[in-house]
Amino acid sequence: MRNYLMIFLIPFLLGNYCFAQENEVLTFSHGPYLQNVSETGATICFNTNRLVVPGVMIKSGNNDFELKVSSTDGLVNVGNHIHKVRIENLKPGQLYEYKLVAKEIEEYYPYIVVFGDTLISKSYSFKTFSTTQKQVNFTVFCDIHDQATKLAKYLDSNAIEKQDCYFLNGDILGHIEEEAQVYSSFLDTCIRKFASEKPFYYARGNHETRGKFARQLKNYLDLPDNKYYYGLTIANTRFVILDGGEDKPDTTTVYAGLADFDNYRLKELEWLKKEVVSEEFVNAQFKIVIVHMPIKQDKKNWYGMAFLAEHFGPVLKESKIDLMISGHTHKNAWIKSNDSGFGYPVMISSNNNYIEAQVNKSEISIQLKDLDGKIVDEYVVGKR
Ligand SMILES: [Fe+2]
């Protein structure tokens, strides 16, 4: 009797499910959020619930809006999930206004495509970076461990309008199990508070390497060269974002033979050696490294940190970076240049603190803030 009932029920249930999908109204499900902003480019990311041609209408000043779409291998991108519209040839230091566009594809046959509604969002704005800007303002969050309410509380006291960008410095997620967690743990909060108008740059922590969805995190970001290690220039400052990988040896039982971070870090090291002799790095007045696990000499270093200290420390020492900003230890610390082992100071913020910093032509100023936005410590790094 039960089997008999199921034979009738399954088509009915499936039919209802398909009907619900087909009748969902086209919406922007998440976003927009800015990624990979530079002096001349920006990527605008968003998500729709139906198959669309994603686009962005953009303009500066009194000019007319221009529609931009992205393409891959000669085909204009279409999709029903995450969209990343890359816009190039922007002017440095320019304020841009933009709107999202989603042109629905109702039927997609080889020689006929039937379009449905076109959805257009409200206006947002962002500014490209400029070599001539006198100051760089940025905020660093780390070790949020899925606590979006903590991130929101930090942002309540953060001077959002003054920031050029944000760095999410690792362990923002605990371990990554599914897409919904990426949105609920940080991304939706970032979008709600700042990310539609200010970009964030991700520095992967050791916890973001864990869980069955860890390999998909990159799908939600737009990283230079699609790597978790990269350089970024804002005005007189070169930021070098590093991925420290896991904190324990690749052979650790709980990694189940699925970790290959020694090889990964050595490849990253080769990139770093090129980065520190690049024109952008050499010509920058200030060089700041953003890395989740601090790179410092310490006999108590676990495997991952010891690996970074052994291989990356000497390269960073030689290249005379001005400051390293880290997390991971869940304890605030200011490690002086003479104590890090590599000639640079290290600022570590705990899992209940965040950093606001400014770079002008002569110094880097850092404020360490608590959950209520109270400044608990301040530091200044002068020009070397
Ligand atoms: Fe960590």
Side-chain angles (χ1 to χ4, degrees):
M1 179 65 180
R2 202 168 146 215
N3 286 346
Y4 179 76
L5 261 178
M6 286 310 283
I7 287 167
F8 283 95
L9 271 176
I10 285 170
F12 174 76
L13 292 171
L14 277 175
N16 264 359
Y17 175 75
C18 294
F19 182 79
Q21 289 276 302
E22 276 171 22
N23 284 281
E24 255 182 32
V25 178
L26 172 63
T27 54
F28 296 114
S29 338
H30 300 274
Y33 56 102
L34 293 161
Q35 289 281 281
N36 205 356
V37 170
S38 66
E39 284 176 28
T40 56
T43 304
I44 291 158
C45 305
F46 60 101
N47 197 324
T48 55
N49 61 338
R50 296 181 66 85
L51 185 67
V52 300
V53 183
V56 170
M57 280 165 36
I58 187 162
K59 75 177 186 104
S60 63
N62 292 325
N63 297 323
D64 292 332
F65 274 108
E66 263 185 80
L67 177 65
K68 306 278 185 187
V69 294
S70 287
S71 64
T72 307
D73 304 325
L75 287 168
V76 168
N77 293 349
V78 301
N80 62 353
H81 195 220
I82 311 155
H83 310 295
K84 300 178 191 179
V85 179
R86 180 71 189 165
I87 303 167
E88 300 282 6
N89 302 316
L90 299 175
K91 287 186 186 142
Q94 183 84 48
L95 184 70
Y96 286 92
E97 185 182 344
Y98 74 94
K99 296 177 185 183
L100 305 179
V101 181
K103 185 177 179 183
E104 187 172 359
I105 297 176
E106 284 186 342
E107 307 284 349
Y108 198 143
Y109 301 109
Y111 299 100
I112 295 174
V113 177
V114 180
F115 294 104
D117 292 337
T118 295
L119 198 61
I120 298 175
S121 76
K122 65 171 190 165
S123 273
Y124 303 91
S125 63
F126 71 93
K127 203 172 174 187
T128 48
F129 304 139
S130 164
T131 46
T132 57
Q133 67 188 73
K134 291 198 173 73
Q135 188 162 309
V136 183
N137 299 335
F138 64 96
T139 293
V140 188
F141 299 123
C142 67
D143 297 281
I144 300 287
H145 288 277
D146 298 296
Q147 295 180 63
T149 48
K150 181 185 282 185
L151 179 59
K153 193 157 167 50
Y154 284 158
L155 283 157
D156 283 344
S157 66
N158 175 239
I160 294 172
E161 67 290 348
K162 288 188 183 160
Q163 305 307 305
D164 288 298
C165 72
Y166 289 78
F167 293 98
L168 302 185
N169 199 6
D171 291 6
I172 302 302
L173 295 140
H175 49 265
I176 318 176
E177 289 291 293
E178 57 179 2
E179 176 179 71
Q181 185 193 349
V182 174
Y183 286 112
S184 65
S185 291
F186 78 99
L187 195 43
D188 279 344
T189 302
C190 290
I191 292 164
R192 184 163 52 85
K193 293 284 198 175
F194 70 86
S196 301
E197 307 210 323
K198 307 277 180 179
F200 69 80
Y201 295 84
Y202 215 100
R204 189 167 70 158
N206 53 307
H207 276 264
E208 274 104 5
T209 64
R210 301 174 188 172
K212 60 178 178 285
F213 205 72
R215 288 158 190 80
Q216 280 75 44
L217 176 62
K218 220 179 231 185
N219 296 346
Y220 300 83
L221 308 170
D222 187 52
L223 300 162
D225 293 329
N226 202 28
K227 295 272 197 295
Y228 282 114
Y229 46 87
Y230 49 97
L232 163 72
T233 299
I234 309 179
N236 64 349
T237 305
R238 183 69 172 170
F239 293 96
V240 177
I241 293 85
L242 295 176
D243 180 358
E246 264 294 4
D247 58 350
K248 293 180 277 298
D250 289 339
T251 50
T252 305
T253 313
V254 290
Y255 300 158
L258 299 177
D260 188 24
F261 286 102
D262 281 355
N263 284 323
Y264 172 74
R265 279 184 293 240
L266 290 174
K267 267 189 207 159
E268 179 180 359
L269 181 63
E270 289 314 305
W271 170 84
L272 179 64
K273 286 176 182 170
K274 288 182 193 144
E275 162 64 22
V276 296
V277 294
S278 70
E279 209 174 299
E280 293 206 67
F281 184 93
V282 173
N283 292 341
Q285 258 184 302
F286 287 99
K287 290 119 181 172
I288 300 175
V289 172
I290 308 278
V291 60
H292 175 70
M293 293 196 288
I295 304 177
K296 61 187 175 82
Q297 272 178 348
D298 191 335
K299 282 183 186 143
K300 291 184 201 150
N301 278 345
W302 280 25
Y303 181 84
M305 281 172 63
F307 190 104
L308 292 171
E310 183 188 345
H311 295 91
F312 288 62
V315 177
L316 297 174
K317 181 182 180 181
E318 178 75 22
S319 59
K320 294 188 166 43
I321 64 160
D322 296 285
L323 172 69
M324 175 173 287
I325 297 179
S326 298
H328 184 62
T329 62
H330 291 204
K331 279 186 191 152
N332 292 328
W334 174 258
I335 300 161
K336 291 180 185 163
S337 305
N338 290 339
D339 298 333
S340 70
F342 300 116
Y344 51 76
V346 185
M347 170 84 242
I348 303 175
S349 56
S350 84
N351 57 325
N352 286 307
N353 294 87
Y354 75 96
I355 292 164
E356 277 185 22
Q358 304 82 38
V359 191
N360 63 23
K361 65 178 181 357
S362 54
E363 61 189 29
I364 308 168
S365 314
I366 303 151
Q367 299 89 48
L368 182 68
K369 292 189 163 184
D370 68 10
L371 273 164
D372 297 317
K374 201 177 110 210
I375 296 174
V376 293
D377 255 318
E378 287 187 272
Y379 305 92
V380 172
V381 180
K383 190 79 205 95
R384 272 177 183 249

